[in-house]
Amino acid sequence: MPIDIPWYLGLLVFVGLVLVMEVVAIYGHKYVMHGPGWFLHKSHHSPRTGMFEANDWYGVMGAAVAIGFIWYGVEGQGGSLFTWIGAGITGYGAIYFGFHDIIVHRRIETGYVPRSAYMKRIVQAHRLHHVVESKEGTVSFGFIWAPPIEELQRELEANRRAGKAIIRKNPIGRGMADA
């Protein structure tokens, strides 16, 4: 039996899913990508050339989940609730691609320079994430939210002193060699 909801509840589901996906991404990044999934994610922390990296498979996996929800909602008799869930996951993916891949890593060069305090914090937090050479000891696992930079710097220094983090002079990763 399809679960259909009115459009205004669908918008709430969409926005709620975008927010929930940031929490999922933070934990997935910290405990999967920097854990057993390091074999794919390591490519994102290494200098390389080319348009794609092994880490891009995480985006493909997220897209497959979103497509599955949308398909079930539209064609599989699931109803509009599932379509809105898939749309929320897709919305997060689009925001992630814009912030992380375009603005931070400059996979598509736009000439954009972050000027707002929020955008500067997101970019700087991700650069701090990339100064660590190994999968352990890094900071800032979010993509659209980041703790204050001073807090991240203190955590990074504590990780270095405890021997958890080996710090590079410059962050490594696409679009970061000039940092």
Side-chain angles (χ1 to χ4, degrees), residues 118-137:
Y118 168 74
M119 291 304 297
K120 286 179 181 178
R121 186 174 80 204
I122 292 297
V123 171
Q124 191 173 7
H126 200 69
R127 288 179 181 269
L128 288 174
H129 177 80
H130 276 269
V131 299
V132 177
E133 289 187 21
S134 65
K135 69 180 183 177
E136 294 89 15

Side-chain angles (χ1 to χ4, degrees), residues 157-170:
E157 179 58 21
N159 289 348
R160 184 193 65 77
R161 286 184 184 174
K164 294 182 197 174
I166 301 168
I167 309 295
R168 296 182 179 104
K169 182 178 178 188
N170 291 314

